[in-house]
Amino acid sequence: MKHKVVVIGASGTLGKALTNALVEGGHEVVRVSRSAGDYRADIQHKQSLDILFKAIGPFDAVANAAGDVVAGPLEQLTDENYAFALGNKLMGQINVVRAALPYIADKGSFALVSGVLTDEPILGGTLGTVVNGGVEGFVKAAAHELPRGIRINCISPTVLTESVAYHPYFPGFIPVDGWKVAKAYERALFGVINGRIIRV
Amino acid sequence: MKHKVVVIGASGTLGKALTNALVEGGHEVVRVSRSAGDYRADIQHKQSLDILFKAIGPFDAVANAAGDVVAGPLEQLTDENYAFALGNKLMGQINVVRAALPYIADKGSFALVSGVLTDEPILGGTLGTVVNGGVEGFVKAAAHELPRGIRINCISPTVLTESVAYHPYFPGFIPVDGWKVAKAYERALFGVINGRIIRV
């Protein structure tokens, strides 16, 4: 069965791999990004999400591959660093769900993104671990309250093979290829699971 | 060995049980609350925390038993509800650590609080699950970066026996007595563990 899937963060490393996989699978992909794609939106600006989903109209699923945090030593993190991370990768993703909910199809599906830092801290990664914990919490709770048979899951990848610049910060972590993470999104989007954190 | 422990939220149900246990154990307790105790402070106002710890001076440990969220159906949660919960139980507790860090003793200890909702969602409890996930994330990550041998742990209690008004929202959950949760704080504060989530 073919679906119309909105991919947010479509021009990023993960978003590209996901978009390729979905197109290869014959799905209709709506590419959303801050600076390219079919539509422009920034998850940290809720209003841009409200405008986005109204413009796109009906769709079957939303796959989010966007979300930034700030890396830095614990003692040097500022109020602004915390506010940015919470506003971007955490509230940004929650707001994707809130803004898309009026437009997504019955039995539609959301896939958000957390990451390996949830349970495996790295030096300078406090904000990643904080925010991922919140995102996974939202998915675990919202799964039981979304209406109309709509599902939600969370993809938690380790560092990507393609993200070579990040590898030094993940000593001993075995990177995962983007295409494998895309498979996890497909499992979440088109399967039956709900409220799950898929670690890949 | 006796310690000087700052208890935040000392006039709440959990804070009272904790304060009693610490006093019985012969520790010096500095009671902090929004409206009573030795000092007044509100964890959602970072400036009040900066003033607080400067006023208290040196101490060995901080036990936080404060932190509010908003309960409500997922689809009715507002921007304000999210901002309140993130600013209070999540950033409030993170700011307790940030504000206390210059004053806490070498090998000092922090104990924060999350709760059973982290992994066991209840109807209307999305914000609790989101915020607890973030708090536990902070503890898991910060444990590796705190200086001077300072430790941090998180107490995750189920609904308290004493909090009778909350029992209907936790069907089938076996409540825990406040004194048992206080024991978990003591284990965290005076033991050797670090970065642990103690579920009680």
Side-chain angles (χ1 to χ4, degrees):
Chain A
M1 203 173 131
K2 305 307 175 188
H3 298 82
K4 180 174 177 179
V5 182
V6 179
V7 176
I8 301 177
S11 61
T13 307
L14 178 53
K16 278 184 201 162
L18 176 56
T19 299
N20 289 343
L22 293 172
V23 168
E24 277 177 29
H27 301 288
E28 180 184 353
V29 176
V30 180
R31 294 168 182 81
V32 180
S33 149
R34 279 175 296 197
S35 54
D38 304 314
Y39 292 88
R40 309 282 163 94
D42 186 339
I43 65 167
Q44 77 179 319
H45 297 125
K46 183 161 177 278
Q47 206 186 357
S48 82
L49 296 171
D50 291 333
I51 293 167
L52 171 73
F53 290 110
K54 190 171 182 182
I56 295 175
F59 48 84
D60 300 304
V62 177
N64 184 66
D68 289 337
V69 298
V70 182
L74 177 67
E75 293 185 84
Q76 290 173 27
L77 294 176
T78 64
D79 292 348
E80 291 68 30
N81 294 155
Y82 281 99
F84 174 81
L86 294 180
N88 196 306
K89 191 173 179 181
L90 178 53
M91 278 311 301
Q93 293 199 84
I94 292 174
N95 286 336
V96 163
V97 175
R98 296 169 74 207
L101 202 48
Y103 305 100
I104 194 168
D106 291 357
K107 301 191 177 180
S109 183
F110 289 101
L112 305 186
V113 65
S114 59
V116 70
L117 295 188
T118 312
D119 291 309
E120 298 296 340
I122 60 170
L123 194 63
T126 298
L127 281 173
T129 304
V130 169
V131 162
N132 287 352
V135 172
E136 294 186 7
F138 180 76
V139 167
K140 286 187 278 187
H144 303 286
E145 295 199 41
L146 285 171
R148 302 187 282 114
I150 296 164
R151 296 177 300 107
I152 184 168
N153 294 283
C154 187
I155 314 303
S156 177
T158 190
V159 66
L160 294 182
T161 306
E162 295 88 337
S163 302
V164 176
Y166 291 144
H167 290 188
Y169 302 101
F170 291 82
F173 288 68
I174 299 173
V176 62
D177 294 352
W179 70 267
K180 286 189 183 172
V181 184
K183 285 290 177 199
Y185 274 92
E186 291 184 74
R187 263 206 285 158
L189 292 174
F190 309 131
V192 295
I193 58 176
N194 190 25
R196 286 275 298 281
I197 315 300
I198 306 182
R199 304 185 203 285
V200 61
Chain B
M1 202 175 132
K2 305 308 175 189
H3 298 84
K4 180 174 178 180
V5 183
V6 179
V7 176
I8 301 176
S11 61
T13 307
L14 178 53
K16 277 183 200 161
L18 176 56
T19 299
N20 289 343
L22 293 172
V23 169
E24 277 176 30
H27 301 288
E28 180 184 354
V29 176
V30 180
R31 294 168 182 81
V32 180
S33 148
R34 279 175 297 197
S35 54
D38 304 313
Y39 293 88
R40 310 282 163 93
D42 186 338
I43 65 167
Q44 76 179 320
H45 297 123
K46 182 161 177 279
Q47 205 186 357
S48 82
L49 296 172
D50 291 334
I51 293 168
L52 172 73
F53 290 110
K54 190 172 184 182
I56 295 175
F59 48 85
D60 300 304
V62 178
N64 184 66
D68 288 336
V69 298
V70 181
L74 177 67
E75 291 184 84
Q76 291 172 27
L77 294 175
T78 64
D79 292 349
E80 290 70 28
N81 294 155
Y82 281 99
F84 174 81
L86 293 180
N88 195 305
K89 191 173 180 181
L90 178 53
M91 278 311 302
Q93 294 198 85
I94 292 174
N95 285 336
V96 163
V97 175
R98 296 169 76 206
L101 202 47
Y103 305 100
I104 195 168
D106 291 356
K107 301 191 178 181
S109 183
F110 289 101
L112 304 188
V113 63
S114 58
V116 69
L117 295 190
T118 312
D119 290 309
E120 297 296 341
I122 60 170
L123 195 63
T126 298
L127 281 173
T129 304
V130 169
V131 162
N132 287 353
V135 172
E136 294 186 7
F138 180 77
V139 168
K140 286 187 279 187
H144 303 286
E145 294 199 42
L146 285 171
R148 302 186 282 114
I150 296 164
R151 296 177 300 107
I152 185 168
N153 293 283
C154 186
I155 314 303
S156 177
T158 189
V159 67
L160 293 181
T161 307
E162 294 88 338
S163 302
V164 176
Y166 291 144
H167 291 188
Y169 301 101
F170 290 83
F173 287 68
I174 299 172
V176 62
D177 294 352
W179 70 267
K180 287 190 182 170
V181 184
K183 285 289 176 199
Y185 274 91
E186 290 184 75
R187 262 205 285 158
L189 291 174
F190 309 130
V192 294
I193 59 176
N194 190 25
R196 286 275 300 279
I197 315 301
I198 306 183
R199 302 184 204 286
V200 60

